[in-house]
Amino acid sequence: MSDTEPAAAETPPPAAPPPVPPAVPPATRAAQRTSRLAVLALVAVLLAAGLALLSWLDTRNRIGATQEELARRLREIETDARDARIAARQAQETVREAQVRLGQLDARLAEWQSQQLALEALYQELSRNRDEWQLAEIEQVLAIASQQLQLARNVRAALLALQLAEARLARADRPQFAPIRRALARDIERLKAAPAIDFPALALRLDNLIASVDSLPLAFDERIERPDAAKDAPPAADRGFFARLGSEVWGELSQLVVVRRMGPAEPPLLPPTQAYFVRENLRLRLLNARASLLARDETGYRDDLRAASAWVQRYFDPRSKYTADAAAQLKQLGAVSISFEMPTISKSLDAVRGYKSRRERSPG
């Protein structure tokens, strides 16, 4: 072996053998074994007792915690139950109040329903009465229009009455009035097609002529113009007193008697008493013409106007403006034809009366 190589490790010495215990007698070993068992048993008992104590303490703690939790839960349950009872009482009170209010609402609803039924019945009655009143007014208007046609032959007034009735029905806008409106429309068209003669205006013109009879100058009332003696006579300063007196006396005496030559075209001379009868006869002729106009007697109407026109031309002064106006009025009135078939409005009256009779027969 070289010097550089490490020296071999030294091996340890062998271990000394364990000491051999001394020999124990068997009785001693049995006693030792018994004492060990007793100690072990005591330890086991102590351990069991400790474990039991620990278990009992743990159980007791758990039971206490459980009791506390249970008590807490019970308190919460009691609180909840109390709150629930309070809420239940409040709910019961609310339910009772709601029931009371519901009863009141039911009573009010029943009252409102009864009032609504009463109002509906009243509305139906008022509607029925309003229809009856409106139909009564329309019937009255149509009756007046019929009288205007039959008595006064006033087509314009009857047409206005029918248009008024149709306008009232149009404002009402009731479907059950449709047949009446159709009848009114037909009668309105029939009246529009009739000749437009204003009989009241003609009668008024005749009344004005009758009132103007006294103002018409008679032809034989005209005065002879006095001769202008002053143009031929010498100036008053050149004549003497007796010459002037004789001239004035002669002028007055010459006016006492007037001699005129009457031709065939001259108006007749009438005394004052007969002049009164001339005016009265002319007035009677005009009155007869007015009566014939109202009676729609065209023959009598034309004859009276022709006779009145002849009297005006014969007995009254044609140079007067009043006489010329009266003659022109008589000529215009005589040119009007008053004879035509007067239309009727019986269809409208029948429609209104038929509707009223059907409503009276209907139960509701």
Side-chain angles (χ1 to χ4, degrees):
M1 174 179 305
S2 63
D3 293 336
T4 60
E5 287 181 2
E10 295 181 357
T11 58
V20 177
V24 180
T28 303
R29 287 197 298 271
Q32 291 178 353
R33 190 180 299 114
T34 301
S35 61
R36 289 177 182 173
L37 291 174
V39 171
L40 291 175
L42 180 61
V43 171
V45 170
L46 291 175
L47 289 174
L51 291 175
L53 180 60
L54 291 175
S55 177
W56 177 78
L57 291 175
D58 183 63
T59 303
R60 184 178 179 180
N61 292 331
R62 290 184 178 181
I63 291 173
T66 302
Q67 288 177 350
E68 291 178 359
E69 181 68 19
L70 181 60
R72 187 179 62 79
R73 295 285 181 89
L74 288 175
R75 286 193 300 271
E76 291 179 355
I77 290 172
E78 288 178 356
T79 303
D80 294 341
R82 186 170 56 253
D83 294 340
R85 286 193 297 271
I86 295 173
R89 284 195 298 270
Q90 293 177 353
Q92 289 176 356
E93 293 177 358
T94 305
V95 169
R96 283 194 297 270
E97 292 178 358
Q99 289 177 351
V100 172
R101 292 182 180 178
L102 183 60
Q104 294 176 355
L105 290 176
D106 290 338
R108 290 183 181 179
L109 179 60
E111 183 180 358
W112 291 340
Q113 288 177 349
S114 62
Q115 291 179 357
Q116 184 178 4
L117 292 175
L119 287 175
E120 288 179 356
L122 181 61
Y123 175 77
Q124 292 177 358
E125 185 66 22
L126 289 176
S127 178
R128 181 181 180 90
N129 292 336
R130 183 178 62 184
D131 291 346
E132 291 178 356
W133 296 337
Q134 192 168 13
L135 287 175
E137 291 179 357
I138 291 174
E139 184 180 7
Q140 185 67 24
V141 170
L142 293 179
I144 294 174
S146 180
Q147 291 176 0
Q148 289 291 324
L149 285 176
Q150 298 300 323
L151 300 179
R153 302 296 181 90
N154 193 345
V155 178
R156 182 176 300 177
L159 180 60
L160 291 177
L162 263 67
Q163 290 175 345
L164 175 62
E166 203 280 333
R168 288 185 178 180
L169 292 179
R171 285 195 301 268
D173 196 14
R174 305 293 294 275
Q176 57 268 29
F177 292 157
I180 302 176
R181 294 185 63 184
R182 287 195 295 268
L184 285 172
R186 288 193 294 268
D187 287 340
I188 288 173
E189 293 299 326
R190 192 179 298 112
L191 290 179
K192 287 182 177 179
I197 300 177
D198 194 354
F199 289 96
L202 295 177
L204 182 61
R205 292 175 65 181
L206 286 174
D207 290 337
N208 293 333
L209 282 175
I210 294 170
S212 66
V213 167
D214 293 331
S215 63
L216 297 178
L218 295 171
F220 52 80
D221 279 346
E222 62 181 355
R223 300 299 181 184
I224 301 296
E225 294 183 359
R226 295 186 178 185
D228 192 0
K231 290 191 283 186
D232 299 334
D238 299 339
R239 296 184 298 169
F241 171 76
F242 292 102
R244 290 197 306 271
L245 178 62
S247 177
E248 291 178 0
V249 170
W250 172 252
E252 292 295 333
L253 291 176
S254 65
Q255 296 298 322
L256 294 177
V257 178
V258 178
V259 179
R260 296 181 59 189
R261 181 180 299 276
M262 303 295 295
E266 293 291 333
L269 293 176
L270 297 175
T273 55
Q274 293 186 4
Y276 168 78
F277 291 108
V278 167
R279 295 183 186 276
E280 291 301 317
N281 286 334
L282 177 60
R283 184 178 287 107
L284 288 176
R285 283 291 187 178
L286 294 175
L287 287 173
N288 289 336
R290 187 179 187 279
S292 299
L293 173 67
L294 297 178
R296 303 304 183 266
D297 182 8
E298 187 169 2
T299 302
Y301 173 76
R302 291 184 180 278
D303 291 342
D304 290 326
L305 288 181
R306 192 179 299 112
S309 179
W311 280 49
V312 168
Q313 293 176 4
R314 182 178 181 184
Y315 293 106
F316 294 90
D317 186 8
R319 294 173 297 178
S320 172
K321 179 179 182 299
Y322 298 105
T323 305
D325 290 343
Q329 291 281 344
L330 291 172
K331 185 177 180 181
Q332 293 175 4
L333 291 172
V336 177
S337 177
I338 62 174
S339 178
F340 64 92
E341 184 179 358
M342 185 63 61
T344 63
I345 58 172
S346 58
K347 298 294 184 182
S348 298
L349 278 172
D350 293 341
V352 173
R353 290 167 180 169
Y355 181 79
K356 288 182 62 177
S357 62
R358 288 193 299 271
R359 283 183 65 88
E360 291 174 357
R361 289 195 301 267
S362 63

